[in-house]
Amino acid sequence: MRRVIAVALAGASLLGAASLGGCSSMSWDMFKSAPPTVQVRIESNPPGADATTSLGPGCKTLCSVSVPAPEAPFTVAFALPKYQPASVPVNVIKNPGDFTTPAAVATDPNPVFAELQPATPPKPIRKPHRPRKPKPAAAAPAAAPTEAATAAGSPFPDPNAGRR
């Protein structure tokens, strides 16, 4: 009987040591809260632009991304084919909270909005102007008959001849 008790105690002590070893690997990190994240709404006009934060996460607008609350301001870069790229600075506002309210982190602006401008098309290549060919000289207009020509026997009578 003593042997059975000794074997049981030895087994229990081995199990206890194994469980204590598992406890020793536990750290205080599990009691720390995860770093706060901020939900940032991202919009652009026109929609469909690729938006990337300087913190890493990105999406295609109209969208929302969750970023770890940074200590300093960050930027959101926008890119869309046939439009000029844009970048919008984002400030981080931290409210430490108190006994009745939890700490909060917000961004300004939220939503982050960018008005994308069309890319200017490349200037068309102009062909050199060829000088215009001069038009052939037109025949001088026929001179109106004068009194001298009428007196000399011109075939055209002077319409004012009788009125003088």
Side-chain angles (χ1 to χ4, degrees):
M1 179 81 164
R2 286 184 184 191
R3 285 186 185 176
V4 173
I5 294 174
V7 171
L9 286 175
S13 66
L14 287 175
L15 286 175
S19 65
L20 286 176
C23 288
S24 67
S25 67
M26 182 180 77
S27 68
W28 291 104
D29 290 340
M30 68 182 265
F31 295 110
K32 290 182 182 178
S33 63
T37 59
V38 178
Q39 196 71 16
V40 180
R41 178 112 175 111
I42 302 174
E43 300 175 0
S44 69
N45 185 24
D50 291 320
T52 307
T53 66
S54 59
L55 303 173
C59 60
K60 193 171 285 283
T61 62
L62 301 167
C63 60
S64 202
V65 294
S66 183
V67 295
E71 296 295 322
F74 63 96
T75 59
V76 179
F78 295 84
L80 185 64
K82 298 184 182 177
Y83 286 87
Q84 295 177 354
S87 183
V88 177
V90 180
N91 293 314
V92 179
I93 303 167
K94 292 187 177 187
N95 181 4
D98 56 19
F99 291 112
T100 59
T101 58
V105 179
T107 60
D108 181 41
N110 195 4
V112 178
F113 179 79
E115 181 79 31
L116 300 176
Q117 300 300 319
T120 55
K123 292 184 179 180
I125 299 173
R126 294 185 179 191
K127 294 180 182 177
H129 292 283
R130 289 186 279 172
R132 293 184 179 179
K133 293 180 182 177
K135 293 183 180 179
T146 62
E147 287 182 29
T150 309
S154 171
F156 301 106
D158 184 10
N160 295 327
R163 294 185 192 173
R164 292 187 203 155

